[in-house]
Amino acid sequence: MHITTLTAADAAAYRALMLEAYEQAPDAFTTTAAERHAEPESWWVKRIGSAEGLATSFGAWQDKTLVGTVALEYSAKPKTRHAVLVLGMYVQPSQRGSGLGVALMQAAIAIASSRPGIRSLNLTLTEGNEPALRLYRSVGFVSWGVQPEAIRTDTGLKGKVHMSLALLRTDAAD
């Protein structure tokens, strides 16, 4: 198992894994599988991004199969570029409990920490997703609020838990 930064060459594998994620864990995402299935390849390539751009995506590979992913989305706005959004976290059910989720989050935290001016990572998760809550807490995220009735699911309206991780900064400019 190894973690890499995804590139445009990984777009097909990333798309397939994320479409699986939207099908397997529909309550975890604010977008439906049908909406994402309709996105062109160019959307997936942009979503993967690059370390120099406004997005970075990470993949966990078992042999040549992508089995987990997480993405970072950076803000271009001067007033919000100090905070990074964590999104698209997914690990295939057969790989859960292996430490893969922690490894993906650690890779994301390390890259975000290395970018000048980044002070925090933010994410949301759907209320009731205890495994995700445990994962995020295990790498240092703290909950700070719940947006009630944030998404409509097959089982009703659910809230989104907001979490943040403050990064330790050593650069003098921050």
Side-chain angles (χ1 to χ4, degrees):
M1 200 77 61
H2 64 284
I3 308 290
T4 65
T5 301
L6 298 178
T7 68
D10 302 314
Y14 178 71
R15 179 182 185 272
L17 182 65
M18 288 307 299
L19 290 176
E20 173 187 316
Y22 291 114
E23 292 285 346
Q24 294 292 316
D27 289 1
F29 302 98
T30 57
T31 305
T32 67
E35 288 173 297
R36 286 297 184 239
H37 189 75
E39 297 289 0
E41 182 181 347
S42 60
W43 185 91
W44 295 96
V45 170
K46 184 178 178 183
R47 177 69 173 263
I48 286 174
S50 70
E52 297 78 36
L54 295 178
T56 306
S57 297
F58 303 90
W61 300 87
Q62 182 175 34
D63 299 318
K64 294 184 180 192
T65 303
L66 186 63
V67 297
T69 189
V70 67
L72 299 175
E73 188 175 274
Y74 307 99
S75 176
K77 298 177 181 181
K79 291 185 177 183
T80 58
R81 72 173 60 131
H82 62 281
V84 176
L85 180 63
V86 178
L87 54 104
M89 176 68 182
Y90 180 71
V91 173
Q92 289 183 325
S94 64
Q95 303 298 320
R96 293 179 189 161
S98 67
L100 209 50
V102 169
L104 282 163
M105 289 304 298
Q106 288 172 337
I109 291 166
I111 290 296
S113 296
S114 72
R115 282 179 70 123
I118 301 299
R119 301 189 62 80
S120 66
L121 279 75
N122 300 304
L123 59 83
T124 64
L125 67 126
T126 304
E127 268 185 316
N129 189 342
E130 293 304 315
L133 184 62
R134 282 192 303 275
L135 167 65
Y136 299 136
R137 284 183 175 157
S138 77
V139 295
F141 280 81
V142 294
S143 304
W144 55 265
V146 177
Q147 178 184 354
E149 299 183 349
I151 63 168
R152 183 177 305 280
T153 71
D154 289 344
T155 59
L157 294 170
K158 292 187 178 180
K160 281 289 191 176
V161 178
H162 292 260
M163 300 185 83
S164 294
L165 172 68
L167 300 177
L168 299 175
R169 300 305 311 175
T170 57
D171 38 311
D174 288 329

